[in-house]
Amino acid sequence: MAYWPWWLGALALGGVSIGYFLLIGKLLGVSGSWAKVVGWKEDRELGRSAAELEQADEGEIENALLAATLAEFGASAMDEKTPGQDASEPEEDVPTASTTVSYTPWTAHLIFLLAMFGGGLIAALTSGQFELEFQLSDTHSRIFGGPLEIWLSLLFGGMMVGFGTQMAGGCTSGHGLSGCSRLIPASLLSTVVFMLSAIGLSLLMEASIA
């Protein structure tokens, strides 16, 4: 099987990241899209709340914020002054927050995930290498044993990946492509951990079947 040159693959991945940002208005992240699709009910409620917030006037928003502040901190919090502030000093003007909410519906994330699957399917069909196969490689059989053990290991691995992406705040696409391109320290550190873990596990698997 012939693969693209590394530089062409890098340009393609960069183009996907930039195109996603231009179309959606947010940074690329596969795990984030998957979380939106899985939690579509909560995302739908978020969309309704965002629409109501955009339609509400400033008076309604101020009353809602005041009621939430009173419920959380009590009436005494409204009379407190900032330390060092003289009571005779006029209060500074607080900039008005924008009520425009950046919201992407879960259906857009679903289309993105389906497009990833469809792109791989089209590539396999056009190259003549499409084949349905439910038997995993011999390497998995040597390490984990029979079919049941193999599928249980994949299930456990998928759960660990989901837990890790939530704990790290993103996956290899979100941190590796979007975060590293913006030189975000958390993304740089997370990507280093991803790569070192993958290399270490690969070496461990090779050593176990040697």
Side-chain angles (χ1 to χ4, degrees):
M1 181 178 180
Y3 291 96
W4 287 2
W6 66 268
W7 57 269
L8 185 57
L11 290 176
L13 287 175
V16 170
S17 301
I18 295 174
Y20 184 89
F21 178 78
L22 294 177
L23 291 175
I24 305 298
K26 294 185 178 181
L27 298 177
L28 173 67
V30 177
S31 62
S33 296
W34 177 251
K36 290 289 186 181
V37 173
V38 173
W40 64 272
K41 290 184 178 180
E42 293 80 2
D43 190 74
R44 183 177 58 182
E45 294 299 326
L46 178 62
R48 292 176 179 174
S49 300
E52 293 176 357
L53 181 60
E54 291 183 354
Q55 295 175 358
D57 57 25
E58 294 185 4
E60 293 178 348
I61 296 176
E62 290 179 358
N63 292 333
L65 291 175
L66 178 60
T69 303
L70 292 174
E72 183 68 22
F73 302 104
S76 59
M78 305 301 298
D79 299 329
E80 294 181 359
K81 294 291 184 178
T82 304
Q85 180 182 4
D86 188 358
S88 61
E89 294 181 0
E91 296 183 357
E92 297 181 358
D93 293 335
V94 179
T96 304
S98 174
T99 58
T100 302
V101 179
S102 177
Y103 170 73
T104 304
W106 69 272
T107 51
H109 296 282
L110 177 61
I111 293 174
F112 169 68
L113 295 176
L114 292 177
M116 290 180 57
F117 174 80
L121 179 61
I122 293 174
L125 291 174
T126 54
S127 63
Q129 298 178 350
F130 176 77
E131 182 180 358
L132 286 176
E133 185 175 351
F134 299 97
Q135 182 65 32
L136 299 180
S137 65
D138 295 336
T139 302
H140 286 82
S141 300
R142 294 176 184 175
I143 296 176
F144 299 105
L148 178 60
E149 290 80 2
I150 291 176
W151 290 107
L152 287 177
S153 67
L154 293 178
L155 176 62
F156 176 75
M159 294 173 60
M160 293 301 296
V161 169
F163 175 78
T165 54
Q166 288 295 320
M167 183 174 63
C171 60
T172 51
S173 61
H175 283 305
L177 293 178
S178 301
C180 287
S181 62
R182 301 177 66 195
L183 300 179
I184 299 177
S187 296
L188 296 173
L189 179 60
S190 298
T191 303
V192 170
V193 174
F194 294 158
M195 298 303 297
L196 291 179
S197 300
I199 294 173
L201 181 59
S202 178
L203 294 176
L204 182 62
M205 292 178 64
E206 290 185 0
S208 64
I209 61 177

